[in-house]
Amino acid sequence: MFVCLCTGTTSHVVSEVVANGARTSREIAAACGAGGDCGRCRRTLRAMIEAHFAAADATPESITR
């Protein structure tokens, strides 16, 4: 799915950028261009960042017993 129509950036590319450490929409824009032009996708970018780190917090490695 395209996340940023201005640059043609897909959700797969954004997911990789976030997995590689991007934590803000500005960092994503610097890495792949998404969110750096008109800004309409920034809300989606922030939601993808939140979802990534929420999923990372729910992994078995992060659950303490």
Side-chain angles (χ1 to χ4, degrees), residues 20-34:
N20 287 329
R23 293 183 177 260
T24 66
S25 57
R26 284 187 182 191
E27 290 175 352
I28 292 172
C32 68

Side-chain angles (χ1 to χ4, degrees), residues 5 9 13 16 23 34 38 55 60:
L5 297 178
T9 306
V13 170
E16 287 180 357
R23 293 183 177 260
C38 80

